[in-house]
Structures are given as C-alpha cells and as structure tokens.
Amino acid sequence: MALYIGLGCLLLAVALAAVALMLRPRVTAAGSLALIETSYSAAVVSSQEVAQSPSWLRSLGLRLSPAGVASRLQHRLDLAGNPPTWTPDRVLAFKGMGLLLGGALGALLTFRSVGWLVVGLCVGAVFGFFLPDLLLVNAGQKRQEKIRRALPDAMDMLTVCVEAGLGFDAALAQVARNTNGPLAQECARVLQEMQIGKSRNQALRALTERTTVAELRAFVSALAQAGELGVPIASVLREQAREMRVRRRQRAEEQAQKVPVKILFPLIACLFPAMFVVIIGPGAISIARVLMSL
C-alpha cells in the first residue's frame, strides 16, 4: 500500500513539473535583447512617482514639440547614460511644467506694465520649456567627454590583454571589470548584447549610436574592417592605441595653447586697473595738488 502511495506521489510531482515547464515563458534572444534595451533605456518608476507627473503636463509638452520628439529624447538619454528615473515621458512632463512655471516667474519679475508683462511671460515660458533639453544635452556632453578621456587608457589595456593571449571578448570583459566610468558601462553593455545573441559587429555598431566620440567611432570602424579583411586584431588594436595616445597629446597641447587667450581678459579686467592705480595714482595726486595750488 505504501509503495502505491509513493508511486502516486512521484507521478503527481512529475506531472506538476511538466505543467510548470509548459507554462513557463520561453526566453528567446529577441526577448532578452528587448529586456536589456528596456533596462538601460527606461527607468523603473513607482506608482507614486508616476502620480507626481500628471499626464496633461506630458500632453502639453508633446503638443508644443515637433514630431518625433520621443525618439530624439531617447537618443539624448542614451548619450547621457540613461540617468535614473529619466524617461522621454518624464522629460516631456518637465517641459510642460517648466513652460508654466517659467511663464509665471517671468510675469512676476516683469510686473510693471502690460508690455513688460507679455515680454516676461514669453521669455520665461520659452526658457522653462527648453530648460530640460539644455540639462539633458549638458549631461550627455559631460558623459561623452568622460568617455573620450578614458578611451586611450582603455585601449592600452585592451591591447595588452589581446597581445597576452586573451580573446577580444575576454579582453573587453577585463576593461569593463577593471575600469570605472561611462566607458566601462558601455563595454559591459556590449558584452551583454554579445552574450544574448548579437554579433560583435552589431553590438559595436549599436555602441556607436550611443556615443558622439569620433575616436570610438573610428575604432569600431577599424574593427569591422579588420574582421571583414581578416587582419589580425592585435595589430589593429596596437595601431588604434598609438593613434589615440597621439590624439590625447594633441588635445593637451591645444588646451595649453588656449590658456594665454583665456587669461588675457581676466588680466585686463582685474590686474591692469590695479597697476594703473599704483603707477599713475601718485602722479595724478601730485598734478591735482599743483593745479589746486594755482
């Protein structure tokens, strides 16, 4: 009797396991890629945070924006690294809120006459409407500058790892693991997309769409051409690393050449008046005393 009960329990467990496997959703490569894109491009917002951004503000920002603004905002968010809780809908809501608050603030500051009131209202509304765009562009430019500065060192590490015998994927994983900053995050994302099912060229081409750094775009193009022509990747990496070091030195020299021009205006505005007072001041006092004695 106990044997029959045990066999019945075993069959029931097997049946439940089969049903669970049948009901389990299948994870395909396309679904995994969509999950990665969603995790990077859209922030997880709670219901309370959604309630803080009324839909009518988003509708207001959307109506006053040109067609295709959502895709352009998403591209700017990709350039900025997709900051937490920043989504195209939220940016549009902030644009609508900035329009109202900026217009009200401009009207309050210029509450003198009807003409000044209209001017202040228009200027404040325009400034408040485009302020989220300015902040988003500024965040993207700062992130791209960080990528540009970190690229030569990452290229050196990538070249050393490949020449030491690692494959390109393993070398890229070392760069993502041993460095910090936006470039390490982009390398980690490229590795995730390659592990899910994208080819190397597709993952690297997607990387170029998320950056404006010319050196990184040239590096991806060189890798694609090397793969098509069968050129050893180690030599390509060595040449690219040498070229990026040269470009970094040239940028440093360019910045050094700009220093005298940048110092000129503070020097004229701050130092020269004090020098004129010290040098010409005693003579001016003596001349004034002589003229007053006459």
Side-chain angles (χ1 to χ4, degrees), residues 38-153:
T38 303
S39 63
Y40 277 100
S41 62
V44 178
V45 184
S46 62
S47 59
Q48 296 180 356
E49 291 176 344
V50 172
Q52 294 176 0
S53 300
S55 59
W56 62 272
L57 286 177
R58 175 187 174 277
S59 301
L60 178 62
L62 186 61
R63 288 181 180 179
L64 296 177
S65 301
V69 64
S71 60
R72 287 194 294 271
L73 286 177
Q74 185 57 60
H75 178 64
R76 292 176 183 175
L77 287 172
D78 290 336
L79 295 178
N82 293 292
T85 69
W86 282 45
T87 60
D89 292 341
R90 177 157 292 188
V91 174
L92 288 173
F94 279 133
K95 287 170 71 70
M97 185 183 300
L99 175 70
L100 300 178
L101 294 180
L105 183 60
L108 289 176
L109 293 177
T110 58
F111 189 71
R112 299 175 183 176
S113 62
V114 178
W116 283 105
L117 182 64
V118 173
V119 172
L121 180 64
C122 295
V123 172
V126 171
F127 179 77
F129 184 76
F130 288 105
L131 181 60
D133 293 329
L134 295 177
L135 295 177
L136 190 58
V137 170
N138 185 35
Q141 290 177 350
K142 289 182 178 179
R143 186 172 186 270
Q144 298 305 313
E145 183 62 26
K146 290 180 181 179
I147 292 177
R148 182 180 289 106
R149 292 181 178 179
L151 189 57
D153 295 334

Side-chain angles (χ1 to χ4, degrees), residues 6-292:
L7 290 175
C9 293
L10 181 60
L11 292 175
L12 180 62
V14 171
L16 291 176
V19 171
L21 290 175
M22 292 176 63
L23 295 178
R24 182 181 179 182
R26 296 182 179 179
V27 180
T28 60
S32 300
L33 288 174
L35 182 61
I36 290 177
E37 293 291 338
T38 303
S39 63
Y40 277 100
S41 62
V44 178
V45 184
S46 62
S47 59
Q48 296 180 356
E49 291 176 344
V50 172
Q52 294 176 0
S53 300
S55 59
W56 62 272
L57 286 177
R58 175 187 174 277
S59 301
L60 178 62
L62 186 61
R63 288 181 180 179
L64 296 177
S65 301
V69 64
S71 60
R72 287 194 294 271
L73 286 177
Q74 185 57 60
H75 178 64
R76 292 176 183 175
L77 287 172
D78 290 336
L79 295 178
N82 293 292
T85 69
W86 282 45
T87 60
D89 292 341
R90 177 157 292 188
V91 174
L92 288 173
F94 279 133
K95 287 170 71 70
M97 185 183 300
L99 175 70
L100 300 178
L101 294 180
L105 183 60
L108 289 176
L109 293 177
T110 58
F111 189 71
R112 299 175 183 176
S113 62
V114 178
W116 283 105
L117 182 64
V118 173
V119 172
L121 180 64
C122 295
V123 172
V126 171
F127 179 77
F129 184 76
F130 288 105
L131 181 60
D133 293 329
L134 295 177
L135 295 177
L136 190 58
V137 170
N138 185 35
Q141 290 177 350
K142 289 182 178 179
R143 186 172 186 270
Q144 298 305 313
E145 183 62 26
K146 290 180 181 179
I147 292 177
R148 182 180 289 106
R149 292 181 178 179
L151 189 57
D153 295 334
M155 284 298 305
D156 291 337
M157 182 181 296
L158 193 63
T159 303
V160 170
C161 292
V162 171
E163 290 182 346
L166 292 178
F168 179 78
D169 299 349
L172 197 63
Q174 291 294 327
V175 174
R177 187 180 300 114
N178 297 319
T179 58
N180 298 318
L183 185 58
Q185 297 173 2
E186 292 295 341
C187 292
R189 181 170 178 177
V190 169
L191 286 173
Q192 288 181 354
E193 292 179 354
M194 292 169 61
Q195 291 172 357
I196 290 302
K198 277 189 176 181
S199 64
R200 179 188 300 173
N201 288 336
Q202 291 176 347
L204 292 175
R205 294 294 184 186
L207 172 61
T208 59
E209 297 177 358
R210 300 189 300 269
T211 182
T212 58
V213 181
E215 292 86 349
L216 188 55
R217 290 174 174 269
F219 167 66
V220 172
S221 299
L223 284 181
Q225 292 178 1
E228 293 176 358
L229 300 177
V231 180
I233 193 171
S235 60
V236 175
L237 292 176
R238 191 184 308 111
E239 184 63 25
Q240 288 293 319
R242 185 188 65 80
E243 183 178 354
M244 290 184 185
R245 287 194 299 270
V246 171
R247 291 187 179 182
R248 180 171 59 180
R249 184 172 64 252
Q250 291 176 349
R251 283 197 303 270
E253 293 175 353
E254 180 182 358
Q255 295 296 326
Q257 294 295 330
K258 292 180 180 179
V259 170
V261 180
K262 293 180 179 179
I263 292 178
L264 181 61
F265 296 101
L267 185 67
I268 294 174
C270 300
L271 185 59
F272 283 178
M275 291 179 60
F276 290 154
V277 170
V278 172
I279 296 173
I280 304 177
I285 294 174
S286 300
I287 293 172
R289 286 178 179 177
V290 170
L291 293 175
M292 289 176 65

